Amino acid sequence: MLRIFVILALASVIHSEEEIMKNLTTVTWAHAVNNKTYLEAALASEVSMLEADIVLGHVKGKDGPPIPVMAHPPATTSDLTLADFLSAVSQFNNVNSKQKGVKLDFKSIDAFEKAQDHIAPFLKPDITFPIWLNADILPGPVDAETKPVDPEKFLSLGSKHKRAVLSVGWTTQYGGNITEGEYSRDQIGSMLRMLNEHHINQTVTFPVRAGLASNSQPVILDLLRETGYLNSSITVWSSEGDAVEVDRLRALLLTVGLERTYLDVPQELAARLRLPPPDTKTKH
Ligand SMILES: *[C@@H]1O[C@H](CO)[C@@H](O)[C@H](O)[C@H]1NC(C)=O
Ligand SMILES: *[C@@H]1O[C@H](CO)[C@@H](O)[C@H](O)[C@H]1NC(C)=O
Ligand SMILES: *[C@@H]1O[C@H](CO)[C@@H](O)[C@H](O)[C@H]1NC(C)=O
Ligand SMILES: *[C@@H]1O[C@H](CO)[C@@H](O)[C@H](O)[C@H]1NC(C)=O
Ligand SMILES: *[C@@H]1O[C@H](CO)[C@@H](O)[C@H](O)[C@H]1NC(C)=O
């Protein structure tokens, strides 16, 4: 009798831990971790993923050929190189049981090409902290004018790092007086074609902008179905001040499933989503 009870209790513990592991919306984010001070603060915090931007540039006050540094365009200087950023995170993870992951947002193909030798050592199989290689590789809504990062080069180089998660998305133009828009079937189709053409065979996540993604449920479901073999997910992000239909976004998240949705939106929006608590089992 007692034994059965213990086994049942154990089973329920394991079950609930799995549930938590699979609720990707519990993953928390620090943004623009592009300087030493903020990197130290982010490493000391409870945040689980550090998002940072990489451009080709210089350490302030130094010259020589351009190198990958942590900065967001139009800035091209920083007090932190990509190499130092990765060493610091890796050292932290070596001595802490709760590892922090990184999402490296490459702002140009040059920065990504020049970053290869710096990222490779941290993508060997014996290193385990999550590394996401992110870029906007295709033009997206609403008639976005930002030039995407070269998709062919990004995928050929990215696919050499099997341990990395490829985080590949579309440029966007949204916010301000642009309050409506959606991802088109063509834009989704181009992404699928790119992944196929480059024989991508590693975990993939698609960053999608909340206000646009909430209007695009059918095509996002198609995208995830077609890439299920890549354990694909979406990473829903939003800028401060974006117009977002909260009910529609909530419906998208719950339809896709919290086990396939990273949520990287301002706290105020996250709170308004009122995601269901773990104990209310959704029926399948
Ligand atoms: C460091 O980065 C943080 C986050 O991006 C930013 O708020 C802060 O102003 C930066 N500090 C310096 C000295 O650039
Ligand atoms: C949106 O705002 C920009 C300037 O902020 C302006 O140039 C543009 O004409 C506006 N577009 C519409 C559709 O109102
Ligand atoms: C994908 O990678 C796995 C190992 O990670 C391998 O077993 C499988 O054959 C690969 N599939 C293709 C289509 O390359
Ligand atoms: C998907 O996840 C399974 C189970 O964890 C793993 O064996 C497989 O290698 C993963 N495939 C990709 C492409 O990430
Ligand atoms: C998932 O995590 C979010 C964020 O911590 C939380 O609000 C929500 O209740 C959780 N839901 C489930 C089903 O685990």
Side-chain angles (χ1 to χ4, degrees):
M1 187 62 192
L2 186 63
R3 206 153 125 207
I4 289 172
F5 177 77
V6 168
I7 290 169
L8 280 177
L10 256 180
S12 90
V13 166
I14 290 164
H15 191 65
S16 70
E17 270 180 8
E18 266 176 14
E19 293 277 303
I20 293 162
M21 300 264 296
K22 278 199 203 143
N23 182 353
L24 302 185
T25 72
T26 59
V27 171
T28 50
W29 301 83
H31 296 112
V33 186
N34 297 340
N35 58 56
K36 283 184 179 163
T37 314
Y38 196 53
L39 174 57
E40 272 173 32
L43 287 174
S45 77
E46 286 298 307
V47 154
S48 40
M49 285 291 286
L50 315 187
E51 185 266 349
D53 306 296
I54 297 101
V55 300
L56 214 47
H58 290 95
V59 172
K60 281 181 194 124
K62 290 200 180 166
D63 11 80
I67 55 167
V69 296
M70 313 311 288
H72 193 285
T76 57
T77 60
S78 176
D79 67 355
L80 187 59
T81 64
L82 172 62
D84 289 346
F85 174 92
L86 285 170
S87 304
V89 174
S90 178
Q91 275 168 27
F92 172 91
N93 285 332
N94 281 341
V95 294
N96 284 275
S97 54
K98 236 172 145 188
Q99 295 205 319
K100 294 194 194 296
V102 298
K103 174 174 174 177
L104 305 174
D105 188 358
F106 292 93
K107 295 303 187 185
S108 71
I109 197 62
D110 297 345
F112 190 50
E113 284 172 340
K114 291 280 192 316
Q116 296 303 302
D117 291 346
H118 301 296
I119 60 177
F122 300 99
L123 286 163
K124 287 191 268 181
D126 55 321
I127 296 187
T128 53
F129 70 89
I131 298 187
W132 293 17
L133 304 175
N134 177 85
D136 295 339
I137 61 170
L138 292 170
V142 177
D143 299 326
E145 283 159 4
T146 317
K147 189 168 163 268
V149 169
D150 187 308
E152 312 273 347
K153 289 181 182 166
F154 188 82
L155 289 174
S156 333
L157 287 172
S159 61
K160 290 188 181 144
H161 309 289
K162 291 285 177 230
R163 190 178 91 67
V165 172
L166 295 181
S167 171
V168 281
W170 300 258
T171 57
T172 54
Q173 185 175 44
Y174 194 66
N177 56 12
I178 306 176
T179 57
E180 280 171 39
E182 61 193 307
Y183 291 92
S184 71
R185 199 161 282 285
D186 277 356
Q187 286 160 354
I188 299 293
S190 301
M191 183 64 80
L192 289 171
R193 209 160 41 248
M194 280 292 160
L195 297 177
N196 278 328
E197 280 173 13
H198 289 83
H199 309 289
I200 297 305
N201 185 20
Q202 69 202 82
T203 310
V204 167
T205 190
F206 303 105
V208 289
R209 197 162 181 167
L212 298 162
S214 54
N215 296 333
S216 319
Q217 191 180 122
V219 291
I220 286 178
L221 291 176
D222 284 350
L223 175 70
L224 289 173
R225 194 183 50 247
E226 296 289 327
T227 54
Y229 70 104
L230 301 174
N231 299 335
S232 59
S233 61
I234 50 174
T235 303
V236 174
W237 65 278
S238 188
S239 286
E240 210 72 58
D242 276 13
V244 180
E245 287 280 350
V246 174
D247 288 340
R248 252 186 259 171
L249 181 60
R250 186 171 196 275
L252 173 72
L253 265 49
L254 295 180
T255 308
V256 167
L258 300 187
E259 75 286 0
R260 281 186 96 175
T261 312
Y262 292 94
L263 188 62
D264 180 12
V265 301
Q267 235 153 34
E268 181 262 346
L269 174 57
R272 281 201 291 153
L273 284 168
R274 292 176 295 104
L275 293 177
D279 47 348
T280 56
K281 292 272 181 305
T282 38
K283 294 202 182 69
H284 291 280

